C-alpha cells in the first residue's frame, strides 16, 4: 500500500514519518520548489511536541527550538493583564 500526502508542511512530513515508522510507504506532494523557512516562527502545542518526540525528533527539535516560560493573557480592549499561565517544566509535568 502507498499513501499520497498533500502538503509538505509540519503535518504532511510528520504523517509521512509516522507512516514510514509503521512500514507504510507514502509520497508527499508539495507545490513549493524547495522546503525552506517561510514567514515568522511557529508555535507548537505540548501535544504536537509530544507526538514529534515520539517519532524520535526530540534532539532535532531541542537543537533549534525555544520554549516560552509563560503565556500572558491580556484584555483585548484595555491591555490589562488577566492571567499568567506558567509553561516550561510546570507544563511538561502536567
Amino acid at each position: 500500500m502507498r499513501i499520497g500526502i498533500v502538503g509538505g508542511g509540519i503535518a504532511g512530513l510528520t504523517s509521512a514519518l509516522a507512516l514510514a515508522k509503521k512500514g507504510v510507504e507514502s509520497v508527499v506532494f508539495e507545490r513549493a520548489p524547495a522546503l525552506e523557512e517561510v514567514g515568522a516562527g511557529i508555535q507548537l502545542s505540548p501535544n504536537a511536541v509530544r507526538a514529534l518526540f515520539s517519532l524520535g525528533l526530540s534532539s532535532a527539535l531541542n537543537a533549534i527550538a525555544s520554549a516560552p516560560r509563560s503565556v500572558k493573557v491580556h484584555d483585548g480592549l484595555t491591555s490589562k493583564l488577566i492571567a499568567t499561565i506558567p509553561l516550561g517544566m510546570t507544563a511538561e509535568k502536567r
Side-chain angles (χ1 to χ4, degrees):
M1 175 178 17
R2 203 161 70 160
I3 295 178
I5 298 171
V6 178
I10 292 172
L13 295 177
T14 300
S15 297
L17 179 58
L19 289 167
K21 288 192 177 278
K22 293 291 186 182
V24 178
E25 185 180 352
S26 64
V27 178
V28 178
F29 297 94
E30 172 57 53
R31 71 175 143 187
L35 296 178
E36 55 192 9
E37 289 184 34
V38 178
I42 59 168
Q43 181 176 341
L44 298 174
S45 70
N47 288 341
V49 172
R50 188 177 305 116
L52 294 173
F53 279 13
S54 75
L55 293 171
L57 297 173
S58 58
S59 294
L61 282 175
N62 287 331
I64 61 170
S66 63
R69 285 176 264 193
S70 65
V71 172
K72 296 183 183 231
V73 181
H74 293 264
D75 182 284
L77 297 175
T78 67
S79 295
K80 179 181 175 187
L81 180 65
I82 297 172
T84 299
I85 303 166
L87 298 175
M89 291 307 292
T90 303
E92 288 181 35
K93 288 178 185 175
R94 254 195 339 248

